[in-house]
Amino acid sequence: MLQSFTASKWMTESTFQLENTYCNLPEVFFSKLSPTPVSSPELLVFNEKLADEIGLEPSMFSTEERTQLLSGSLVPGGIEPFAQAYAGHQFGNFTMLGDGRALMLGEHLTPSGQRLDLQFKGSGRTPYSRGGDGRAALGPMLREYLISEAMHGLGIPTTRSLAVVATGETVYRENELPGAILTRIAGSHIRVGTFEFASLHEDKTITQALLDYLIDRHFPSLNYKENKPLALLEAAMEQQAGLVTHWMRVGFIHGVMNTDNMALSGETIDYGPCAFMDIFAPDTVFSSIDHKGRYAYANQPYVARWNLARLAESLLPLMDDKKEKAIEMAEEALNAFEDIYKSKWLSMMGSKLGLLVTRKEDEKLVIELLDWMHQQRADYTSTFRDLSKPELPMESAYTTESFQAWHVRWQNRLQEEKQGWDSSVTLMDSVNPAVIPRNHKVEEALQAGEEGDLIPLHNLLKALENPYQDGDHLIPYQSPPEASEKVYQTFCGT
Ligand code: AMP
Ligand code: MG
């Protein structure tokens, strides 16, 4: 197919323009190279809606052009792809990393002026590949597409997915698998690990350049702060506390919160062994490689704080020339994380219970319900959604004395709200999803997709588009799994 394709006038004259301001950073941060072409690319999924939203005007791409472009087989003139260098703490251990199987095509400017990275995942080896093949398997790329779009539907900051192209080539993991390339769209790909990488150089100007770039791109108001590295740390704390609060709201478990997977755009990034919790249990872990539960559901805020401490360490030399003074400033800032997170979490949990304004004492009401759910092995999503129904379903768990007693306390608390029951219901239904990508449904859709049937994937994507709006089309996706359908483990698939 590659040989028979003739690039159109559009391609050769390159009306498709991307910028790469990232390459104005010192050269240590990137390596320019082209994607490795693939033998017989086939465009499997294309996100027309997203393309439209960000002004990519896909109508001017023929299917063949799109396929060639999104498989990395043809790079339009004027575009200079590059791989990014970074490092990171993986499960607590420091490692040199970098885009080993990803490549930045460039930055697209949306009609509203937003700068977005277009990145391939699975596009071939790079100088940072180490022993890896630089490729990705179809299942995990469809998984990233599905979950990232679901997160977007849920109103959670996330990287997006533009397309999945099957490469027509085999990748070798434990088994032989079909290869694929995902096109990821992101606010940027600057990670905590990018700062860790910068700080390894015995040259403060390297980290300074990255900090200035990040601030210009994502935190322009911090340009007026006296101590920019400290202000950035504080802003990242707010941002990440907010992001993890969203995850906790919908029962999302990232699964690999390594510092290289924490993006300073504030977006959820890298959908590997991530999963949504069905039964409420704080220690839930799905990832097959997370043996000690480091990234369990309830640990996520603590890990976010730990990762932010790594960011702070990287910024110390810029905070103050005197190391002790810098450490003192960073520690003081980081010590506020617990309160920042707790306050966001409590107001989020309050909103799940229909409370417009949450008071400190409401924490008890929240914890009592969560404890009850834990004991009863109640479904996290269904329970919260049930609470706003005119009548609770006739499930035996709701008839227990312990639940009834809690329900009375909750109703009494709601009586103290000024806005009335209807407003509480509206609030609850805007934060408690009616549908989430349940693992058994995700696996079902991915398995079909790997076997060439993309209909289950498209149906699931459709159901997840408006997850707060109940409807009959959601019914097949709302029930928790039967015992035989339960998914106990998820895999990175790298
Ligand atoms: P991830 O688990 O996707 O966050 O990746 C961790 C690191 O491993 C990153 O530096 C990736 O670029 C690299 N990596 C993952 N899979 C591959 C692969 N198949 N080939 C080369 N590098 C890879
Ligand atoms: Mg990663």
Side-chain angles (χ1 to χ4, degrees), residues 16 18 35 42-48 50-51 54 56 61 65-74 101-108 116-123 136-138 140-142 144-146 148-149 158-167 180-186 189 271:
F16 180 62
L18 294 174
E42 187 190 347
L43 184 57
L44 297 183
V45 197
F46 185 79
N47 197 335
E48 299 273 357
L50 174 62
I54 64 175
L56 259 185
F61 298 60
E65 281 167 341
R66 277 188 207 175
T67 309
Q68 293 297 322
L69 178 72
L70 299 171
S71 64
S73 296
L74 196 133
R101 56 158 174 176
L103 204 58
M104 194 74 68
L105 199 55
E107 301 145 16
H108 165 70
L116 296 174
D117 281 359
L118 255 77
Q119 195 206 51
F120 292 145
K121 201 165 167 180
S123 51
L138 176 60
M141 295 306 99
L142 290 177
E144 169 147 353
Y145 188 105
L146 176 62
S148 63
E149 289 308 293
T158 177
T159 62
R160 304 285 307 273
S161 296
L162 183 69
V164 177
V165 174
T167 58
I181 297 172
L182 173 95
T183 303
R184 175 155 80 182
I185 308 284
H189 284 83
Y271 294 92

Side-chain angles (χ1 to χ4, degrees), residues 84-393:
Q84 291 179 327
Y86 53 88
H89 277 82
Q90 299 191 305
F91 289 91
N93 303 308
F94 182 78
T95 328
M96 289 300 280
L97 295 161
D99 288 336
R101 56 158 174 176
L103 204 58
M104 194 74 68
L105 199 55
E107 301 145 16
H108 165 70
L109 286 180
T110 69
S112 63
Q114 203 190 351
R115 183 175 296 278
L116 296 174
D117 281 359
L118 255 77
Q119 195 206 51
F120 292 145
K121 201 165 167 180
S123 51
R125 300 195 79 241
T126 76
Y128 314 109
S129 298
R130 296 175 292 168
D133 61 0
R135 292 296 186 192
L138 176 60
M141 295 306 99
L142 290 177
R143 187 182 175 82
E144 169 147 353
Y145 188 105
L146 176 62
I147 309 282
S148 63
E149 289 308 293
M151 292 290 269
H152 174 72
L154 286 162
I156 301 176
T158 177
T159 62
R160 304 285 307 273
S161 296
L162 183 69
V164 177
V165 174
T167 58
E169 295 172 2
T170 302
V171 295
Y172 299 90
R173 299 293 180 260
E174 270 141 48
N175 308 315
E176 291 188 7
L177 298 167
I181 297 172
L182 173 95
T183 303
R184 175 155 80 182
I185 308 284
S188 73
H189 284 83
I190 303 166
R191 307 140 192 271
V192 168
T194 319
F195 277 91
E196 292 183 272
F197 169 81
S199 71
L200 292 177
H201 300 81
E202 306 271 295
D203 178 357
K204 277 199 315 193
T205 65
I206 301 268
T207 312
Q208 185 70 55
L210 183 65
L211 177 69
D212 291 342
Y213 182 83
L214 176 72
I215 288 180
D216 282 345
R217 192 154 167 183
H218 292 297
F219 304 93
S221 63
L222 302 188
N223 266 318
Y224 306 99
K225 295 281 180 180
E226 206 172 299
N227 191 323
K228 288 206 268 180
L230 184 63
L232 186 271
L233 174 64
E234 288 168 346
M237 283 166 50
E238 268 301 310
Q239 180 197 61
Q240 297 298 326
L243 183 62
V244 174
T245 301
H246 272 300
W247 295 354
M248 304 306 272
R249 171 170 67 80
V250 298
F252 176 78
I253 303 162
H254 183 285
V256 252
M257 285 179 74
N258 295 334
T259 54
D260 53 300
N261 291 336
M262 187 185 255
L264 293 165
S265 61
E267 295 166 326
T268 313
I269 191 170
D270 259 12
Y271 294 92
C274 63
F276 286 72
M277 168 171 75
D278 294 304
I279 291 167
F280 177 74
D283 58 355
T284 306
V285 175
F286 289 105
S287 168
S288 63
I289 54 169
D290 192 0
H291 305 296
K292 294 189 182 151
R294 180 181 172 93
Y295 301 139
Y297 172 75
N299 271 359
Q300 298 184 118
Y302 300 100
V303 178
R305 157 83 169 69
W306 193 91
N307 288 350
L308 287 159
R310 306 290 78 75
L311 174 66
E313 280 166 5
S314 310
L315 293 169
L316 286 177
L318 302 184
M319 281 186 197
D320 200 284
D321 286 338
K322 291 190 207 74
K323 198 169 171 195
E324 276 75 47
K325 178 89 191 298
I327 292 176
E328 205 178 294
M329 282 154 68
E331 274 181 351
E332 197 187 328
L334 285 165
N335 285 342
F337 185 80
E338 195 176 332
D339 284 347
I340 294 171
Y341 171 73
K342 195 106 186 262
S343 136
K344 288 186 193 294
W345 176 84
L346 185 57
S347 97
M348 175 276 287
M349 290 308 286
S351 68
K352 283 176 85 69
L353 292 178
L355 303 174
L356 245 67
V357 181
T358 316
R359 310 173 193 148
K360 210 169 178 317
E361 317 82 82
D362 294 328
E363 186 176 349
K364 193 162 171 274
L365 192 68
V366 171
I367 300 284
E368 282 167 355
L369 176 66
L370 292 178
D371 281 347
W372 175 84
M373 286 169 64
H374 192 194
Q375 275 163 22
Q376 294 287 330
R377 300 177 55 76
D379 185 81
Y380 186 65
T381 304
S382 312
T383 305
F384 277 103
R385 196 70 187 188
D386 284 345
L387 290 178
S388 62
K389 291 183 176 155
E391 269 183 62
L392 280 166

Side-chain angles (χ1 to χ4, degrees), residues 382-394 398 403-404 407 410-411 414 421-422 424-426 428-429 470:
S382 312
T383 305
F384 277 103
R385 196 70 187 188
D386 284 345
L387 290 178
S388 62
K389 291 183 176 155
E391 269 183 62
L392 280 166
M394 296 291 292
Y398 295 136
F403 181 80
Q404 293 286 328
H407 199 266
W410 175 48
Q411 290 298 313
L414 281 174
W421 174 242
D422 287 349
S424 288
V425 169
T426 307
M428 291 167 80
D429 288 352
D470 238 319

